[in-house]
Amino acid sequence: MTIHLECADELLTTTRAVRKRLDLTRPVPREVILDCIRISQQAPTGSNSQGWRWVVVADPAKKQALADLYRSVSADYFTQASERARTAGEAQTSRVFDSAMYLAEHMQDMPLLVIPCLMGRPAEGGGVAASAGFFASIYPAVWNFNLALRARGLGAALTTLHLVREKDAAAILGIPDDVTQVALLPVGYTIGDTFSPARRPPPETITAFDQWQLS
Amino acid sequence: MTIHLECADELLTTTRAVRKRLDLTRPVPREVILDCIRISQQAPTGSNSQGWRWVVVADPAKKQALADLYRSVSADYFTQASERARTAGEAQTSRVFDSAMYLAEHMQDMPLLVIPCLMGRPAEGGGVAASAGFFASIYPAVWNFNLALRARGLGAALTTLHLVREKDAAAILGIPDDVTQVALLPVGYTIGDTFSPARRPPPETITAFDQWQLS
């Protein structure tokens, strides 16, 4: 089949970070998550390395432990950042932080906590070339996963805060030392299906042609 | 409008890395690229930071300089890696490397070279938490851009090799020190539109439920 431009653009422009509108009462079947992971696997990886691994957490005790861990990192961060955004009058960012604080409070209640991982570790002291090469082999897959969720009536929020305590999270889930966690995504069915593109600056203001001339 | 599952899955599973099948004779209009960048801006960023910047290179002399730079890094890497894949009998990876070598040879002939950037630098010595948080704010946008290209009959290949010489590339394009390049994408219209999902291992083999039990 061919890809319809309207459908594609709708998918790519309305896959929001969903935090307050995840249905906490509706379980997510395993086969739905596996289907989205199957689709994530079609994203590119450097040197065709295909080092993705996924940990899908539904167990209430483990979700509680991860939620406690997440809150231990996020609490101060959110309060300060939200206050800063509010003071600066950035309404959109302020809303994002309020929503993120809601997520932190309810993390243990999310139907699933999904942790995408990549085999190996980014080279220490390898600079941007090494770390960019590493993460470029997993975040496209993570975003493909997120888009696949959206197409199925589910939503997620891509968070990385818990990585400050990556080792503690690894201990909770039995993740080996040579595997790198790259995110924590609460996942669930969304309440309603009316997501819109967010307000963004015009692309011309962030694009340079042939020579940098941006602020 | 609603998102049709079939259309979404087709988009997400057939957006290949296109190297040999980019039309070198057909120019890419600026408004098409800006449209894809507009769509990329709907991907999430940490703390709603929206630090994306894009450099779009069509100038023949600058493309030549970037291509020379790219080859200076890629030559040894490809020859060794391709030989290794061939020896190991990994046919898919061997094909990928052959295709990547074709790309390196023809880099200056690609209609556009697109360099996505992120304002700021990943924190030195900040470990995975800092670098993951940084790159998670740009690769979803880069992949959204790639998917938007696909929906318009264009293709690209997400490469990071040139970052070994990031400073030299920055000098060619006038990119400031506090802006981080994260990739180099050759972009063009694709020759034909018949892209298929790639062979991948079953998702069950890379997914753990509640507790790591993977190889």
Side-chain angles (χ1 to χ4, degrees), chain A residues 102-153:
Chain A
Y102 170 92
L103 172 64
E105 279 165 30
H106 295 81
M107 191 65 96
Q108 67 283 342
D109 307 322
M110 298 294 155
L112 295 177
L113 299 181
V114 174
I115 298 185
C117 303
L118 191 60
M119 301 291 278
R121 304 290 305 177
E124 298 274 348
V128 163
S131 51
F134 187 83
F135 292 109
S137 291
I138 185 66
Y139 286 124
V142 173
W143 186 234
N144 235 27
F145 172 79
N146 217 317
L147 293 164
L149 289 174
R150 165 82 175 114
R152 285 157 177 76

Side-chain angles (χ1 to χ4, degrees), chain A residues 3-13 15 39-40 42-44 139-148, chain B residues 7-18 32 35-37 39-40 43 54 139-158 185 187 190 193:
Chain A
I3 293 162
H4 300 287
L5 187 61
E6 266 199 3
C7 167
D9 284 5
E10 175 80 6
L11 176 69
L12 301 178
T13 62
T15 302
I39 286 171
S40 80
Q42 296 293 332
Y139 286 124
V142 173
W143 186 234
N144 235 27
F145 172 79
N146 217 317
L147 293 164
Chain B
C7 168
D9 283 6
E10 175 80 5
L11 176 69
L12 301 178
T13 62
T14 66
T15 302
R16 301 262 70 78
V18 187
V32 173
D35 203 32
C36 294
I37 291 173
I39 286 171
S40 80
W54 296 78
Y139 287 124
V142 173
W143 186 235
N144 234 26
F145 172 80
N146 217 317
L147 293 164
L149 289 173
R150 165 81 175 115
R152 286 157 177 73
L154 292 88
L158 172 54
L185 292 85
V187 169
T190 57
D193 195 34

Side-chain angles (χ1 to χ4, degrees), chain A residues 72-93:
Chain A
S72 76
V73 179
S74 68
D76 288 353
Y77 177 74
F78 282 145
T79 309
Q80 290 167 19
S82 174
E83 198 51 49
R84 210 160 48 229
R86 213 186 310 271
T87 309
E90 294 164 23
Q92 190 184 67
T93 302

Side-chain angles (χ1 to χ4, degrees), chain B residues 28-76:
Chain B
V28 178
R30 234 172 229 213
E31 53 267 33
V32 173
I33 289 298
L34 285 170
D35 203 32
C36 294
I37 291 173
R38 178 182 62 77
I39 286 171
S40 80
Q41 290 174 278
Q42 296 293 331
T45 55
S47 305
N48 196 33
S49 48
Q50 304 186 26
W52 341 268
R53 295 292 183 278
W54 296 78
V55 185
V56 178
V57 183
D59 176 75
K62 296 212 166 173
K63 285 197 294 183
Q64 184 68 51
L66 290 170
D68 290 342
L69 184 156
Y70 187 85
R71 278 189 292 269
S72 76
V73 179
S74 68
D76 287 355

Side-chain angles (χ1 to χ4, degrees), chain A residues 1 3-16 30 34 37-39 41-44 47-48 50 52-59 62 77 92-93 96-97 119 121-122 128-129 131-133 135-136 139-140 143-144 147-148 150-152 158 160 163-164 166 172-176 179-181 197-198 200-201 203-204 206-212 214-215, chain B residues 1 3-16 30 34 37-39 41-44 47-48 50 52-59 62 77 92-93 96-97 119 121-122 128-129 131-133 135-136 139-140 143-144 147-148 150-152 158 160 163-164 166 172-176 179-181 197-198 200-201 203-204 206-212 214-215:
Chain A
M1 68 166 285
I3 293 162
H4 300 287
L5 187 61
E6 266 199 3
C7 167
D9 284 5
E10 175 80 6
L11 176 69
L12 301 178
T13 62
T14 67
T15 302
R16 301 264 68 78
R30 236 173 226 212
L34 284 170
I37 291 173
R38 177 182 63 76
I39 286 171
Q41 291 174 279
Q42 296 293 332
S47 306
N48 197 33
Q50 302 186 27
W52 341 268
R53 296 292 185 275
W54 297 78
V55 185
V56 177
V57 183
D59 177 74
K62 297 212 167 176
Y77 177 74
Q92 190 184 67
T93 302
V96 168
F97 278 114
M119 301 291 278
R121 304 290 305 177
V128 163
S131 51
F135 292 109
Y139 286 124
W143 186 234
N144 235 27
L147 293 164
R150 165 82 175 114
R152 285 157 177 76
L158 172 54
T160 59
L163 296 174
V164 171
E166 188 197 2
I172 293 168
L173 302 169
I175 299 173
V179 173
T180 303
Q181 302 169 54
R200 298 289 187 239
E204 291 85 351
I206 61 165
T207 307
F209 291 94
D210 290 324
Q211 178 71 29
W212 186 273
L214 298 167
S215 56
Chain B
M1 68 166 285
I3 293 162
H4 300 285
L5 188 61
E6 268 200 0
C7 168
D9 283 6
E10 175 80 5
L11 176 69
L12 301 178
T13 62
T14 66
T15 302
R16 301 262 70 78
R30 234 172 229 213
L34 285 170
I37 291 173
R38 178 182 62 77
I39 286 171
Q41 290 174 278
Q42 296 293 331
S47 305
N48 196 33
Q50 304 186 26
W52 341 268
R53 295 292 183 278
W54 296 78
V55 185
V56 178
V57 183
D59 176 75
K62 296 212 166 173
Y77 176 74
Q92 190 185 65
T93 301
V96 168
F97 278 115
M119 300 292 277
R121 306 288 304 176
V128 163
S131 52
F135 293 109
Y139 287 124
W143 186 235
N144 234 26
L147 293 164
R150 165 81 175 115
R152 286 157 177 73
L158 172 54
T160 59
L163 297 174
V164 172
E166 188 197 1
I172 293 169
L173 302 169
I175 298 172
V179 174
T180 303
Q181 301 169 54
R200 299 289 186 238
E204 291 84 351
I206 62 165
T207 307
F209 291 94
D210 291 324
Q211 178 72 28
W212 185 272
L214 299 166
S215 57

